[in-house]
Amino acid sequence: MLEFLEQNYKNKNVLITGHTGFKGSWLGIWLKKLGANVIGYALDPIISKSNFVLSNISTDIVDIRGDIRDSKHLNEVFKTFKPEIVFHLAAQALVRYSYENPKDTYEINFMGTVNVLEAVRATQETKALVVITSDKCYENNEWVYSYREIDSMGGYDPYSSSKGCIELLVASYRNSFFNTAKYKDHEKIIVTARAGNVIGGGDWAEDRIIPDCIRALETDGEILLRNPGAVRPWQHVLEPLGGYLLLGTKILNKDVKFSGAWNFGPNAQNVITVQEVVSKLVKEWESGRFKALSPAVDSLHEANLLSLDISKARFGLNWNPRWNIDETINKTAQWYKKYKDEKVIDICEAQINAYCR
């Protein structure tokens, strides 16, 4: 897998928006390992012990601070570095924060994506764009069926709604400006990628179950579970990133049939409850305790059941999840166990190597 990806990304100018974030930092490390010329555009990392900071990846890439809402600055970056492919990950990514700051959430997620699309339109050298949204973009009916790419967009909370809006936005731009029937006129292919609950080392965001667990485990505190029975499709961060990179190779090679939306989720055995995930993490950590909380009367709405149908990626891209839930939890726990004593870039690259075997 590494050799195939290297053949497609080596010496390519690749722009990552949101490269200082959890997924963005892992993507930057992987692309640099493949020999790409990585340009990152993002705000400052949220914490000094983030994967981005501790891996020191900023010394090996073009590291640019910028707000995705700043279209003038973003356009200057495109004009200067002329990326051949863009991975757009910059986002406000927290559900609970979106209730408190809905305007910011829509401005960052929706208008930020408009700015990226417009920059791609204006840059002749940019031929491919991968827009990362979320499994929460779907109109969630809490049914047992997995959501397919053709199912309706929706979103109960502002965050989820903003992701559904992005999908509609990208579809409109694809139809209006990057239509595959007129590919020879514009020579650009745009895709969206939807992933489930992504976990892995170096995530310290508030109101995410794994970072909340690690904070408690490191201080011998009790892990409090807001929604222990919620069922989620858990996957290691390298799973969807591998899918994004594979999808990127297809559109870099001008194959228009890959234009559109793609789900990247785990196998069915990884679709389990929050409490089951925490139990596995505590067992892997070899210590810790947790308590399930009774939901408050005025608690914010959170989905209880959500999973993705990955048939399109499985058969169309020949992409399949590689790690089961126990391997996923093991690799996640190992990062947090080692980050204080070992070089984080070595930990990350070792996990990438293990994933690609």
Side-chain angles (χ1 to χ4, degrees), residues 15-61:
L15 173 64
I16 305 172
T17 69
H19 70 293
T20 60
F22 167 50
K23 289 171 73 175
S25 65
W26 276 93
L27 182 59
I29 291 167
W30 198 341
L31 279 165
K32 190 62 187 176
K33 184 177 178 65
L34 296 174
N37 304 318
V38 179
I39 306 102
Y41 181 91
L43 299 175
D44 288 328
I46 60 172
I47 188 169
S48 61
K49 59 181 179 180
S50 70
N51 189 54
F52 174 80
V53 174
L54 296 182
S55 68
N56 205 30
I57 186 62
S58 62
T59 61
D60 293 323
I61 66 174

Side-chain angles (χ1 to χ4, degrees), residues 261-280:
W262 296 81
N263 286 342
F264 295 99
N267 289 320
Q269 64 168 302
N270 283 37
V271 183
I272 61 176
T273 66
V274 169
Q275 184 163 325
E276 288 174 299
V277 164
V278 174
S279 296
K280 288 179 179 292

Side-chain angles (χ1 to χ4, degrees), residues 308-319:
L308 296 177
D309 185 319
I310 58 173
S311 300
K312 182 179 177 182
R314 194 187 300 277
F315 296 108
L317 283 170
N318 196 28
W319 175 88

Side-chain angles (χ1 to χ4, degrees), residues 118-341:
E118 283 295 292
V120 169
R121 280 186 70 197
T123 308
Q124 182 179 356
E125 292 83 1
T126 304
K127 305 298 184 183
L129 169 63
V130 181
V131 177
I132 311 306
T133 61
S134 168
D135 60 348
K136 295 177 180 64
C137 68
Y138 290 105
E139 182 179 347
N140 188 5
N141 298 303
E142 302 277 351
W143 56 29
V144 297
Y145 308 107
S146 298
Y147 290 92
R148 302 167 299 169
E149 288 86 350
I150 59 174
D151 286 329
S152 297
M153 297 294 97
Y156 184 103
D157 55 88
Y159 166 76
S160 303
S161 169
S162 74
K163 293 298 184 176
C165 289
I166 291 170
E167 290 284 351
L168 297 174
L169 166 67
V170 174
S172 174
Y173 265 72
R174 186 185 297 116
N175 291 331
S176 302
F177 307 113
F178 310 118
N179 198 297
T180 56
K182 299 179 180 178
Y183 175 74
K184 291 184 178 179
D185 295 336
H186 54 76
E187 295 187 319
K188 299 179 190 292
I189 304 176
I190 301 178
V191 298
T192 57
R194 307 158 182 175
N197 279 45
V198 176
I199 63 176
D203 185 9
W204 296 100
E206 298 291 335
D207 288 324
R208 283 189 188 153
I209 189 61
I210 297 299
D212 287 348
C213 287
I214 298 300
R215 281 186 281 268
L217 291 169
E218 288 190 335
T219 59
D220 197 30
E222 188 172 44
I223 302 167
L224 303 178
L225 307 184
R226 288 194 316 270
N227 200 2
V231 177
R232 299 285 188 267
W234 309 94
Q235 59 188 324
H236 192 273
V237 62
L238 295 178
E239 298 277 22
L241 293 185
Y244 305 162
L245 289 169
L246 182 58
L247 184 56
T249 67
K250 303 298 184 182
I251 59 177
L252 272 173
N253 286 301
K254 306 178 182 181
D255 197 334
V256 297
K257 71 174 179 285
F258 290 94
S259 176
W262 296 81
N263 286 342
F264 295 99
N267 289 320
Q269 64 168 302
N270 283 37
V271 183
I272 61 176
T273 66
V274 169
Q275 184 163 325
E276 288 174 299
V277 164
V278 174
S279 296
K280 288 179 179 292
L281 180 62
V282 167
K283 183 179 179 181
E284 187 71 39
W285 200 264
E286 300 180 318
S287 69
R289 62 195 188 280
F290 61 88
K291 179 174 73 174
L293 300 176
S294 299
V297 175
D298 60 348
S299 62
L300 300 175
H301 173 272
E302 292 187 66
N304 287 305
L305 180 62
L306 180 61
S307 63
L308 296 177
D309 185 319
I310 58 173
S311 300
K312 182 179 177 182
R314 194 187 300 277
F315 296 108
L317 283 170
N318 196 28
W319 175 88
N320 287 285
R322 295 181 171 223
W323 287 344
N324 61 31
I325 187 61
D326 292 323
E327 291 170 305
T328 297
I329 296 294
N330 172 265
K331 292 297 190 296
T332 300
Q334 287 304 310
W335 190 100
Y336 289 106
K337 283 184 173 183
K338 295 177 178 179
Y339 80 93
K340 293 180 180 179
D341 302 314

Side-chain angles (χ1 to χ4, degrees), residues 61-88:
I61 66 174
V62 178
D63 178 26
I64 301 170
R65 291 291 170 272
D67 193 316
I68 201 67
R69 293 168 291 185
D70 186 346
S71 60
K72 181 179 178 181
H73 188 195
L74 185 65
N75 287 333
E76 289 172 354
V77 170
F78 270 78
K79 185 176 180 180
T80 300
F81 295 99
K82 300 176 173 54
E84 295 159 76
I85 182 169
V86 178
F87 291 91
H88 175 41

